[in-house]
Amino acid sequence: MVDFKQKEQYTFEDLLRIIEILRAPDGCMWDREQDHHSIRRNFIEETYEVCEAIDEEDAEHLKEELGDVLLQVVFHTEMEREKGVFDIGDVADGVCKKLIYRHPHIFADTVVASSAEILNNWDDLKRKEKKQETVTDALSSVARSLPALIRAEKVQKKASKAGFDWKDVSGAADKVTEELREVNDAFAGSGDVEEEIGDLLFAAVNVARFAKVDPERALEKATDKFVARFARVEQTAFDQDKVLSDLSEDELDTLWNKSKEKV
């Protein structure tokens, strides 16, 4: 029997102790077998589940999912503590120092007049902290592991701050038209289809940025809308004793247009 007292209410220190017990030589076989890479995907999935709870505006669900993310933080930290590299105190120390350094208008004598100025200072301090000497350094620092739309937007914003940008949304919109034409040309055999589609998506993100629209969120909503309309199409076909795969393109198009008329 493990030496751990079960309680009605647990603390953060209890979480640290539980993970230590699970990772111990006589602990849980599965937990002992894990390393940073084996549970990397878990961290990503748990983070997205937090986002889902936020979108649902469900506090109880959010509390649960934040706990799952916290578990991932503690799990990864415990692996390094076992090797004597760092522990949870070092993690907390690092983020505290970062927050103090990047908020000189709170913890020092810097004067700011707006949130925009605060964000500009944050970026300037981050570049100094990360020893980013060029704009290219800043662009390259955007994590490649981010969802592609989010990464594209962050890269574009950093380039824009350096003065590399369209004057207004019309230039960005024209670029979308140009890239779409190049996609069509690629399908006709005069280019790399994957590359041209990537350029088209990148251009679309630029338009979203000018419109102050989150491209990731916009695509999420578009996908949800597609699923809802597809469900109406499928139900209509079912009510007519038809199978979607048996319908012609014109018949499917008719059902799709009808589905768009419904709220």
Side-chain angles (χ1 to χ4, degrees):
M1 187 71 176
V2 66
D3 181 20
F4 181 80
K5 183 179 180 181
Q6 298 190 30
K7 308 176 181 178
E8 186 70 26
Q9 182 81 28
Y10 295 101
T11 66
F12 180 68
E13 286 69 26
D14 291 323
L15 175 59
L16 297 177
R17 177 60 181 147
I18 289 170
I19 297 301
E20 182 181 352
I21 289 171
L22 293 176
R23 291 275 299 176
D26 58 347
C28 172
M29 184 182 301
W30 183 89
D31 288 288
R32 289 200 317 271
E33 291 172 348
Q34 303 315 305
D35 59 24
H36 293 303
H37 298 284
S38 68
I39 61 171
R40 176 182 180 275
R41 184 181 179 91
N42 299 48
F43 210 146
I44 295 172
E45 291 175 354
E46 299 297 357
T47 302
Y48 275 107
E49 288 176 10
V50 167
C51 294
E52 182 177 3
I54 290 172
D55 292 341
E56 293 173 349
E57 297 186 357
D58 185 333
E60 194 63 29
H61 188 197
L62 178 59
K63 180 181 71 174
E64 176 187 354
E65 299 303 341
L66 286 173
D68 289 343
V69 168
L70 183 59
L71 167 60
Q72 293 298 313
V73 172
V74 172
F75 205 148
H76 283 279
T77 302
E78 173 61 17
M79 295 177 190
E80 295 304 309
R81 188 198 67 80
E82 293 164 2
K83 296 183 288 187
V85 179
F86 62 77
D87 60 19
I88 198 68
D90 297 316
V91 173
D93 174 68
V95 74
C96 286
K97 288 175 178 174
K98 180 187 297 184
L99 288 171
I100 292 170
Y101 175 71
R102 295 188 189 174
H103 287 81
H105 57 290
I106 301 297
F107 299 102
D109 55 3
T110 298
V111 178
V112 295
S114 67
S115 293
E117 196 172 341
I118 290 171
L119 291 176
N120 285 334
N121 287 343
W122 177 283
D123 288 340
D124 289 342
L125 291 168
K126 183 176 181 179
R127 282 195 294 271
K128 293 177 183 177
E129 182 183 313
K130 302 293 184 181
K131 295 181 173 58
Q132 296 169 0
E133 298 180 359
T134 66
V135 177
T136 300
D137 289 340
L139 302 188
S140 299
S141 73
V142 179
R144 295 177 60 85
S145 57
L146 284 171
L149 294 178
I150 294 176
R151 181 177 178 231
E153 182 187 32
K154 289 177 73 70
V155 165
Q156 290 172 5
K157 284 182 176 179
K158 289 180 181 293
S160 178
K161 285 186 176 181
F164 190 86
D165 207 352
W166 304 104
K167 291 182 179 179
D168 54 46
V169 70
S170 63
D174 288 344
K175 189 64 175 176
V176 171
T177 302
E178 177 189 327
E179 296 298 350
L180 179 58
R181 184 169 57 251
E182 292 183 7
V183 167
N184 290 328
D185 290 344
F187 274 111
S190 61
D192 184 315
V193 174
E194 180 184 50
E195 179 182 350
E196 298 304 341
I197 289 176
D199 290 344
L200 175 61
L201 292 172
F202 192 84
V205 171
N206 248 331
V207 173
R209 181 172 56 83
F210 269 98
K212 295 183 172 21
V213 169
D214 178 346
E216 190 79 16
R217 183 61 176 152
L219 184 55
E220 286 175 7
K221 289 183 177 180
T223 303
D224 289 341
K225 181 170 63 177
F226 175 84
V227 172
R229 288 178 177 174
F230 183 90
R232 292 196 288 271
V233 168
E234 187 173 43
Q235 184 61 51
T236 301
F238 178 79
D239 293 341
Q240 298 174 1
D241 295 324
K242 297 178 180 178
V243 179
L244 291 182
S245 58
D246 293 336
L247 298 179
S248 68
E249 185 175 336
D250 286 342
E251 289 174 316
L252 289 173
D253 195 46
T254 298
L255 290 180
W256 180 259
N257 287 331
K258 287 182 178 179
S259 76
K260 293 166 65 175
E261 297 171 0
K262 299 180 180 180
V263 178

